Amino acid sequence: MSSTRSTPATHDSAPPREVELDVTNIAHGGVAVARHEGRVVFVADAIPGERVLARITDDSKDKFWRADTVRVLEASPHRQAHVWPEADIDRDPAIRPGGAEFGHITLAHQRELKASVLREALARMAKLAREVEVEALPGAADGTGWRTRVRLHVASDGTVGPFASRSHRVIRVDSLPLATEAVREVAPLAERYPEIGSAPAAKPRGRRRGPASDDAHIDVLAPSVGGARLIIGAQARSVIRERVGDREFRVDDAGFWQVHEAAPQTLTEAVQSGIVEELFDAKAANLDLYGGVGLLAAAVGDKFGSSVRITSVESDERATEHAAENLADWLGAHTVTARVEQWVRSLADSSAAERARLSAATVVLDPPRSGAGRAVLDALTELRPAQFVYVACDPVAFARDVARLEDAGYRLDRLRAFDLFPNTHHVEAVGTLVRV
């Protein structure tokens, strides 16, 4: 049920500015779901089970609206003071920073909500009923202090800060609670950069998953080797080193690297444990697709030995160059700069001997948020590799790809989920699919 504070709106009339909503569940993307007069309302900063007063922000669609919570009328027992004071419910929604959209929810319940989104995506897209627990990573008990990389934007007047939630408007903040201490110490929140804000913007650099923006920005990062640093505007990239266990990886400072300080080690171990050992053949044509600087290829090599044959494919040329260096002590490692969807199509022309090696292969996939997709998976399943180990950063795209693999004769054998992004809605899954 819901009620309005003004004359009730009909489907054809202008919506009321504020409505009272009973929140029922959480949607993919981190917003809660309610209904108003038969219409779905996606409402930010709410928790399932709450009754809230919400301000309509987008009524352009007939079937659903979008809204921001402005007051909690009946609070969930899982509500807490927001871990980022500037994003708390007592601030106007227009000046709440984005990037910590679950910060008002207790950490244990955040993980329950993330598990439900993954579970429901698999049930809806792949018709699979799977229980899953979102596992915590090492770190602070309140899910703060984990981000080793933060992007701040610069407004035309030189103001530095994050974007407001679901906006490209820069707002000033006094704190960055999700960032590591090293990042917080050097983040120039109180400074102004008018020369950056008014300069023509360079195209975003680096690999996937970062926000693509035409605004000027400052990247603040603290690699695990060496001190924290800033990348200001179109500043030339430099090479940094990241340590994972006993191994170091070379990566561009503006290139892709997992942002949670414990994520590289966690994903290394998850991929290693995700491989079904009795199906693994070190001499097969094993693949590491969307391979970046070689983190997951190295995970395979460290588990099964330096003679493992594995080809790492990545579209970013600089990342591939680093991967070649990072994997240099593996005799069977090979790196390729190519778009994965184009490269996998070329496998259809492989010799009979190579196709046999591909059919015995383990394929590690770490695609962008949109997933691997039909073209990539169709080309791969035509070759019938022994198993896929799929690292996914989007539960719906993952579930869609699992459905495609199941239709092609594979079975989801193992599944784990990890809270790589506490106090946000994001969740990482690692699934193993084996040939039936």
Side-chain angles (χ1 to χ4, degrees):
M1 297 292 294
S2 61
S3 62
T4 68
R5 299 183 66 190
S6 55
T7 303
T10 66
H11 184 74
D12 296 321
S13 66
R17 178 175 177 77
E18 292 180 347
V19 295
E20 292 182 7
L21 300 171
D22 291 318
V23 181
T24 56
N25 58 304
I26 203 78
H28 173 54
V31 293
V33 181
R35 286 187 176 272
H36 176 69
E37 298 179 349
R39 181 184 288 107
V40 171
V41 182
F42 295 112
V43 55
D45 300 319
I47 307 173
E50 291 188 326
R51 185 171 181 81
V52 301
L53 181 66
R55 182 176 302 159
I56 302 300
T57 58
D58 183 355
D59 65 336
S60 62
K61 303 289 192 301
D62 287 336
K63 293 185 177 180
F64 67 88
W65 289 348
R66 296 190 182 275
D68 289 318
T69 300
V70 293
R71 185 152 54 92
V72 179
L73 305 176
E74 297 176 15
S76 164
H78 306 295
R79 180 170 284 274
Q80 64 178 8
H82 205 292
V83 298
W84 197 351
E86 289 94 330
D88 203 44
I89 196 74
D90 60 357
R91 281 174 65 105
D92 187 287
I95 57 172
R96 295 175 195 164
E101 64 278 3
F102 272 10
H104 61 291
I105 308 172
T106 59
L107 201 56
H109 194 55
Q110 290 182 34
R111 292 173 183 147
E112 291 174 359
L113 294 175
K114 294 179 187 188
S116 72
V117 169
L118 177 56
R119 184 170 58 248
E120 290 165 11
L122 287 169
R124 186 176 72 254
M125 310 291 291
K127 305 298 185 285
L128 291 176
R130 295 295 292 259
E131 286 302 315
V132 60
E133 175 188 354
V134 176
E135 302 175 38
L137 272 65
D142 64 353
T144 61
W146 53 268
R147 286 197 71 104
T148 61
R149 286 157 170 73
V150 171
R151 172 159 290 184
L152 301 173
H153 300 274
V154 184
S156 57
D157 66 354
T159 298
V160 176
F163 283 146
S165 182
R166 298 174 300 283
S167 168
H168 281 182
R169 186 160 60 88
V170 178
I171 58 172
R172 186 179 292 281
V173 297
D174 295 323
S175 64
L176 296 171
L178 300 194
T180 63
E181 182 178 357
V183 167
R184 294 196 303 268
E185 286 178 352
V186 302
L189 297 178
E191 299 181 29
R192 298 176 71 87
Y193 290 82
E195 71 283 5
I196 301 298
S198 60
K203 292 183 178 180
R205 297 169 297 172
R207 201 170 159 231
R208 64 198 187 279
R209 297 180 186 161
S213 169
D214 291 331
D215 294 78
H217 57 265
I218 298 173
D219 288 333
V220 190
L221 63 152
S224 55
V225 179
R229 63 179 65 199
L230 305 180
I231 307 173
I232 300 175
Q235 178 179 325
R237 71 183 80 188
S238 61
V239 177
I240 59 174
R241 291 175 295 150
E242 295 281 4
R243 182 176 293 118
V244 183
D246 296 328
R247 185 169 296 283
E248 286 190 1
F249 292 82
R250 291 168 58 86
V251 58
D252 279 356
D253 55 4
F256 174 76
W257 187 255
Q258 292 288 343
V259 296
H260 193 300
E261 58 184 351
Q265 184 65 44
T266 297
L267 291 179
T268 292
E269 294 171 358
V271 166
Q272 290 172 338
S273 65
I275 296 171
V276 180
E277 292 192 32
E278 53 267 33
L279 297 179
F280 186 82
D281 181 351
K283 296 181 180 179
N286 300 298
L287 301 177
D288 170 37
L289 303 181
Y290 313 94
V293 298
L295 174 67
L296 300 184
V300 177
D302 279 341
K303 181 175 179 65
F304 293 102
S306 61
S307 62
V308 166
R309 177 180 174 179
I310 190 165
T311 299
S312 185
V313 183
E314 165 60 47
S315 62
D316 185 287
E317 184 175 3
R318 287 282 296 177
T320 309
E321 291 173 0
H322 291 314
E325 296 174 290
N326 296 332
L327 302 174
D329 51 346
W330 277 282
L331 299 177
H334 179 55
T335 60
V336 176
T337 303
R339 292 182 63 85
V340 170
E341 59 268 29
Q342 296 174 355
W343 187 84
V344 295
R345 284 199 295 267
S346 70
L347 298 177
D349 298 326
S350 300
S351 66
E354 186 64 9
R355 287 179 72 91
R357 285 188 284 268
L358 286 163
S359 71
T362 292
V363 178
V364 178
L365 290 161
D366 183 14
R369 204 168 294 285
S370 57
R374 183 176 301 279
V376 170
L377 295 181
D378 283 355
L380 290 170
T381 54
E382 189 72 22
L383 301 165
R384 304 292 294 160
Q387 62 183 321
F388 292 90
V389 180
Y390 193 127
V391 180
C393 57
D394 184 278
V396 171
F398 173 64
R400 186 184 302 119
D401 283 348
V402 167
R404 288 168 176 150
L405 288 168
E406 293 255 344
D407 288 344
Y410 288 81
R411 172 177 53 83
L412 184 60
D413 182 71
R414 302 176 184 181
L415 177 64
R416 297 175 71 185
F418 300 94
D419 199 10
L420 262 61
F421 311 93
N423 292 306
T424 82
H425 74 276
H426 297 292
V427 61
E428 198 92 354
V430 179
T432 303
L433 292 106
V434 299
R435 187 174 60 210
V436 177

